Amino acid sequence: MSKLRNYSLACLLLAGSASGAFASGFSIFEQGAKASGVAGAFTAIADDASANWYNPANLVWMEGRQFQAGINAITVGGDTELDVLDPAFGVFTSTTFEPESSIETPVHFYYTHKLNSNIAWGIGVTTPFGLVTEWAQRPITFSARKSELTTIVLNPNIAFRMTENWSLAIGVDYMFADVGEFSRDVPIDLDGNALNGPEVIGASNLTGDGDDFGWNVAASYRNGGFSFGLTYRSELSPEIEGGIEYENFGPLSPFFIDSPGSTPLNLPAQAAVGFGFQLSDSMLLSIDVAYAEWSSFQEIAVDIDNETAFSRDFSILEDWDDTFSYRVGLQWRTSNTNEWRLGAVLDESPVPEETLRPSIPDAERTGLTFGYGYTGNRSTVDFYYMALFFDDITAVTGEEGVIAGTYESFAHLAGVSVNFAF
């Protein structure tokens, strides 16, 4: 436990919790089952109500009004392992730890309306960022016990047809972010003898919520069997206002006073460019490259209202990197009612090995997708499945809350969307 004894007590209380709270090292790209069936390579070819998210400039190419509702099922933790060998955390032989497993179900809703041949508008409710991890075994819980972040974005857009082939769109993003729980166990070594272990193990928990406004722009080009799309969404930085609670500190409880607190949550600006190629009357190829400016997430700076000698304002280094993802999809129609889809994605991770914490065991990943759509008279039902393979990654110890170990992960994603045209 020597590493833990060397931390300041304020960082001991909050480093793992705060880092987990705001280390949403992945965005939820799955905001429509048709798009997800082609691995999200949808920027140029978006043609259902989810175009409001993937490329709102495409709204002018669609007819009438559409409404869509959908849900995803994402497995969390069940296929993740952490192999630890870190004497500073009391693990002297290679030991495997597993997080708690759960299934998370983000949803999406859209409504679009083409007013005339040159103007269309739409509105969407999406969950573009999220984080849920939970560990139950010590010493992992000394870094992070449960980390839970939910975001909801309300996004109205208006699109204009500029020429026969070009359209543009502009929109507003309103985000509400909720930090449901970011907790960790806190070991305190009273006698200074690390071999005896900590005499007191308390817990800290950070909760709160906040909101922010951003903006987005998009462009679309269509000419015969070729299509092109470009989108940009601004950074969002809701100020999380909430509090820190402490429990189970026994005789040390008077030194740990619950307090209001706040911190900004810096979520990245994002851009995507896409190309669509109509290979035949029944087959369409799409290619996307997406960018996320995660370098804006450099630190967690926590402002504690009721400071004590043991709980003070502090900042935690994150030092994340900008990322790219590369997506390709193929869809082919076998009849007027049946369409099949395949896709693949290579997605970079923003998290350096030096700041990789159990609260978000992220790594570069490769995803393979399968999708199917059934079109009726005025409605379409779309399904998709994704197998997501994470590269093994080894955390390099040094920063607060980082445990030396190798993460292995895999995730299942599936979803359904129902789209109505009227």
Side-chain angles (χ1 to χ4, degrees), residues 349 351-353 356 361-364 391-395 405-408:
S349 169
V351 188
E353 297 173 348
L356 181 63
D362 198 28
E364 292 193 4
D391 292 353
D392 293 353
I393 186 169
T394 300
T406 299
Y407 294 86
E408 301 178 11

Side-chain angles (χ1 to χ4, degrees), residues 266 294-300 316-321 355:
N266 296 320
W294 279 114
S295 59
S296 62
F297 189 59
Q298 288 297 302
E299 65 175 1
I300 296 298
I316 300 297
L317 179 68
E318 294 294 346
D319 195 27
W320 283 21
D321 301 318
T355 60

Side-chain angles (χ1 to χ4, degrees), residues 82-206:
L82 172 56
D83 187 19
V84 175
L85 177 58
D86 191 340
F89 274 83
V91 183
F92 298 95
T93 60
S94 181
T95 305
T96 299
F97 299 89
E98 297 181 357
E100 301 294 293
S101 62
S102 64
I103 298 178
E104 304 304 318
T105 55
V107 298
H108 53 268
F109 302 94
Y110 305 103
Y111 175 80
T112 67
H113 187 186
K114 186 173 181 178
L115 298 176
N116 55 50
S117 60
N118 294 319
I119 302 175
W121 69 276
I123 189 168
V125 178
T126 56
T127 53
F129 297 92
L131 171 65
V132 177
T133 57
E134 184 174 4
W135 300 82
Q137 297 170 284
R138 294 172 181 165
I140 309 303
T141 56
F142 294 153
S143 176
R145 190 168 66 185
K146 186 173 183 179
S147 306
E148 184 176 12
L149 167 68
T150 302
T151 63
I152 299 174
V153 168
L154 179 66
N155 176 215
N157 290 281
I158 186 166
F160 304 92
R161 184 170 180 168
M162 309 304 293
T163 69
E164 180 180 353
N165 304 110
W166 281 97
S167 64
L168 299 176
I170 187 168
V172 175
D173 296 288
Y174 168 74
M175 171 177 281
F176 174 79
D178 179 67
V179 178
E181 178 177 345
F182 286 97
S183 58
R184 57 158 292 175
D185 293 333
V186 182
I188 299 178
D189 184 4
L190 295 176
D191 63 12
N193 187 348
L195 296 178
N196 293 335
E199 284 72 37
V200 174
I201 299 179
S204 68
N205 186 26
L206 174 66

Side-chain angles (χ1 to χ4, degrees), residues 25-312:
F26 62 91
S27 61
I28 302 174
F29 208 79
E30 290 67 37
Q31 302 297 332
K34 184 173 185 178
S36 299
V38 291
F42 212 52
T43 303
I45 66 172
D47 60 355
D48 66 5
S50 68
N52 192 80
W53 176 261
Y54 288 100
N55 188 342
N58 280 10
L59 296 179
V60 296
W61 309 128
M62 296 156 47
E63 295 299 328
R65 293 174 292 171
Q66 295 190 29
F67 172 77
Q68 183 178 131
I71 188 170
N72 299 287
I74 303 174
T75 63
V76 176
D79 295 288
T80 298
E81 293 183 350
L82 172 56
D83 187 19
V84 175
L85 177 58
D86 191 340
F89 274 83
V91 183
F92 298 95
T93 60
S94 181
T95 305
T96 299
F97 299 89
E98 297 181 357
E100 301 294 293
S101 62
S102 64
I103 298 178
E104 304 304 318
T105 55
V107 298
H108 53 268
F109 302 94
Y110 305 103
Y111 175 80
T112 67
H113 187 186
K114 186 173 181 178
L115 298 176
N116 55 50
S117 60
N118 294 319
I119 302 175
W121 69 276
I123 189 168
V125 178
T126 56
T127 53
F129 297 92
L131 171 65
V132 177
T133 57
E134 184 174 4
W135 300 82
Q137 297 170 284
R138 294 172 181 165
I140 309 303
T141 56
F142 294 153
S143 176
R145 190 168 66 185
K146 186 173 183 179
S147 306
E148 184 176 12
L149 167 68
T150 302
T151 63
I152 299 174
V153 168
L154 179 66
N155 176 215
N157 290 281
I158 186 166
F160 304 92
R161 184 170 180 168
M162 309 304 293
T163 69
E164 180 180 353
N165 304 110
W166 281 97
S167 64
L168 299 176
I170 187 168
V172 175
D173 296 288
Y174 168 74
M175 171 177 281
F176 174 79
D178 179 67
V179 178
E181 178 177 345
F182 286 97
S183 58
R184 57 158 292 175
D185 293 333
V186 182
I188 299 178
D189 184 4
L190 295 176
D191 63 12
N193 187 348
L195 296 178
N196 293 335
E199 284 72 37
V200 174
I201 299 179
S204 68
N205 186 26
L206 174 66
T207 60
D209 56 54
D211 59 4
D212 193 23
F213 283 93
W215 54 275
N216 61 277
V217 294
S220 176
Y221 173 83
R222 294 194 172 186
N223 188 359
F226 173 75
S227 56
F228 166 80
L230 178 67
T231 65
Y232 177 84
R233 291 185 179 274
S234 69
E235 177 182 349
L236 289 161
S237 298
E239 183 78 12
I240 302 300
E241 302 279 354
I244 299 168
E245 297 179 351
Y246 307 108
E247 59 181 17
N248 300 326
F249 283 94
L252 299 180
S253 295
F255 298 100
F256 300 98
I257 302 172
D258 295 350
S259 172
S262 63
T263 185
L265 170 59
N266 296 320
L267 296 172
Q270 297 175 296
V273 59
F275 305 88
F277 305 91
Q278 192 75 49
L279 303 180
S280 69
D281 290 342
S282 60
M283 189 168 293
L284 178 61
L285 174 70
S286 54
I287 300 172
D288 271 29
V289 178
Y291 168 80
E293 195 178 20
W294 279 114
S295 59
S296 62
F297 189 59
Q298 288 297 302
E299 65 175 1
I300 296 298
V302 177
D303 181 14
I304 299 174
D305 289 2
N306 301 328
E307 292 186 89
T308 71
F310 300 99
S311 180
R312 297 179 178 274

